[in-house]
Amino acid sequence: MPKPIEVRKVPLHHVSDASELTRLIGAGALDADRVIAVIGKTEGNGGVNDYTRILADRAFREVLVAAGTRSAAEVAQIPIVWSGGTDGVISPHATVFATAAPSPSDAASPSDAASVADTTSVADTTSTADTTSQPRLSVGFAMSEPLLPEDIGRTAMITKVAAAVRQAMAEAGITDPSDVHYVQTKTPLLTIQTISDAKRRGHTVWTENTGESMDVSNGTAALGIAVALGEIEMPDEAAIMRDRTLCSSVASCSSGVELDRAQVVVAGNVRGIGGRYRIGHSVMRDALDADGIWAAIRNAGLDLPYRPHPADLDGRVVNVFLKCEASQDGMVRGWRNAMLDDSDVHWHRQIKACVGGVAAAVTGDPAVFVSVSAAHQGPDGGGPVAAIVDLGPRP
């Protein structure tokens, strides 16, 4: 049986800052040896050469080694996924996941939910029923087989990612794919060196444009997630990055130069583990779809009015996690935009700033996880949204 999860969001005060993680551990809010995953945003360019991801990764791992009993080699196996680029109002931050020993004071008040998909009113969480019977957040992690440069953009990568997703589901104690609400991956992209390596071994690669390979790696990983969860059948290789109707509603895929296989973090709800957190998801249909974010928060368990306001959240949203993509037709709600034609500012940065503003307006909090390059992740021009909420009793 998986253990209950503790989740905390911390700011990054500068590019290599992990002081707030140190503070949480020192205060006893988290145990360094119980940290199982970190998902965060750094302030770099989000591109192939975004060194801020490496700096943040090093800072967080050094804290976990210094504050715990695990060796550097053991800490190196913890999935720490950094998405570069905090364009617009998005604030650099990290969401830290740790296991927590079951405790009556930490357990969430029970809900009347009949299934994980039900929405649950916090106002109705006053029953004295056993809290462990309620669906609560569980997190699992896996690493795929090594991803070769020639795998990226091809069915070999889909197969390897799908296998890792299934392994991470098992680690989280999730048997029903409908209980999965968020799958975060980090996969390798192509560099000049890895392209040359493939050629030396007699192989071709999907693209020799290293920047484009970021989109390809993300999109192929998303198809692997969709296959693992039964959202789609195994696609033909020709459909990769071309048939945007093939997608996952829970995939959030990122890529970088700092690894050679897929890191996979699966987050969903499991009954019987206790804890105070719950996760839900929805999709944004386009870049302005605030209702998609509100739907994810409702799906996580908060009862909201028809026209909600950030004040209605009562500080219970730990974080929201979004993927975004400029629509392939260059339109939003019937109006033309110039993102895909702009030679001065890449569309990655423009759409990220746009959706980050929408998400921050919904939550009233600029520390939102918004990641770009959402091929095969939600509908074209939109993207998946996951929300983690705290259903515990208020102090």
Side-chain angles (χ1 to χ4, degrees), residues 121-141:
S121 169
V122 170
D124 293 336
T125 59
T126 55
S127 165
T128 58
D130 180 9
T131 60
T132 61
S133 67
Q134 307 306 317
R136 292 295 181 259
L137 176 67
S138 183
V139 176
F141 163 68

Side-chain angles (χ1 to χ4, degrees), residues 41-42 44-53 82-85 87 147 149 152-153 157 184-192 194-195 205-223 240-241 244 252-259 323-325 346-349 351-352 370-377:
K41 290 294 299 181
T42 68
N45 61 23
V48 175
N49 65 336
D50 186 349
Y51 63 88
T52 66
R53 297 185 298 238
W82 295 105
S83 170
D87 303 88
L147 291 168
I152 296 172
M157 181 174 179
Q184 177 67 58
T185 64
K186 187 79 173 187
T187 54
L189 48 73
L190 294 171
T191 66
I192 296 300
T194 58
I195 293 170
V205 293
W206 199 93
T207 178
E208 295 191 20
N209 181 322
T210 58
E212 182 184 30
S213 76
M214 176 182 295
D215 298 335
V216 177
S217 182
N218 291 358
T220 314
L223 291 173
I240 299 173
M241 298 302 292
R244 298 301 181 100
S252 176
C253 303
S254 185
S255 54
V257 299
E258 61 268 34
L259 71 175
K323 288 296 294 189
C324 58
E325 180 93 350
H346 196 278
W347 67 264
H348 277 195
R349 312 202 71 162
I351 193 66
K352 192 186 308 177
V370 180
S371 177
V372 75
S373 186
H376 301 301
Q377 297 153 76

Side-chain angles (χ1 to χ4, degrees), residues 21 35-40 53 56-62 64 75-83 94-95 141 143 184 186 258-259 263 265:
L21 175 62
V35 172
I36 58 172
V38 178
I39 299 173
R53 297 185 298 238
D57 188 88
R58 180 182 301 168
F60 271 63
R61 293 188 194 276
E62 286 176 350
L64 294 178
V75 169
Q77 298 305 307
I78 298 171
I80 300 184
V81 178
W82 295 105
S83 170
T95 304
F141 163 68
M143 294 283 279
Q184 177 67 58
K186 187 79 173 187
E258 61 268 34
L259 71 175
Q263 287 184 343
V265 180

Side-chain angles (χ1 to χ4, degrees), residues 163-381:
V165 171
R166 296 186 187 104
Q167 182 182 344
M169 283 178 61
E171 185 78 16
I174 299 173
T175 57
D176 187 344
S178 68
D179 290 336
V180 175
H181 293 274
Y182 179 54
V183 182
Q184 177 67 58
T185 64
K186 187 79 173 187
T187 54
L189 48 73
L190 294 171
T191 66
I192 296 300
Q193 289 73 27
T194 58
I195 293 170
S196 297
D197 172 64
K199 288 180 176 180
R200 278 195 301 270
R201 292 183 289 105
H203 296 281
T204 63
V205 293
W206 199 93
T207 178
E208 295 191 20
N209 181 322
T210 58
E212 182 184 30
S213 76
M214 176 182 295
D215 298 335
V216 177
S217 182
N218 291 358
T220 314
L223 291 173
I225 294 167
V227 167
L229 300 181
E231 295 177 284
I232 64 170
E233 298 295 329
M234 175 63 78
D236 293 333
E237 204 156 86
I240 299 173
M241 298 302 292
R242 294 181 178 88
D243 184 353
R244 298 301 181 100
T245 66
L246 300 174
C247 64
S248 170
S249 63
V250 298
S252 176
C253 303
S254 185
S255 54
V257 299
E258 61 268 34
L259 71 175
D260 65 355
R261 61 189 70 203
Q263 287 184 343
V264 179
V265 180
V266 168
N269 293 314
V270 172
R271 293 181 183 273
I273 64 172
R276 60 189 299 143
Y277 301 96
R278 183 168 160 178
I279 188 169
H281 82 279
S282 185
V283 296
M284 291 180 74
R285 297 295 171 185
D286 60 35
L288 302 179
D289 186 14
D291 287 341
I293 305 172
W294 288 117
I297 295 170
R298 286 189 175 97
N299 186 244
L302 294 190
D303 188 28
L304 298 170
Y306 175 66
R307 292 287 187 188
H309 182 274
D312 297 317
L313 300 176
D314 193 28
R316 289 186 175 272
V317 173
V318 179
N319 207 356
V320 291
F321 304 83
L322 306 91
K323 288 296 294 189
C324 58
E325 180 93 350
S327 178
Q328 296 292 294
D329 64 6
M331 306 285 284
V332 175
R333 301 196 180 183
W335 289 86
R336 181 178 70 90
N337 63 73
M339 283 188 287
L340 296 176
D341 291 325
D342 195 329
S343 298
D344 296 315
V345 181
H346 196 278
W347 67 264
H348 277 195
R349 312 202 71 162
Q350 298 189 47
I351 193 66
K352 192 186 308 177
C354 170
V355 174
V358 173
V362 166
T363 62
D365 180 359
V368 288
F369 184 92
V370 180
S371 177
V372 75
S373 186
H376 301 301
Q377 297 153 76
D380 180 39

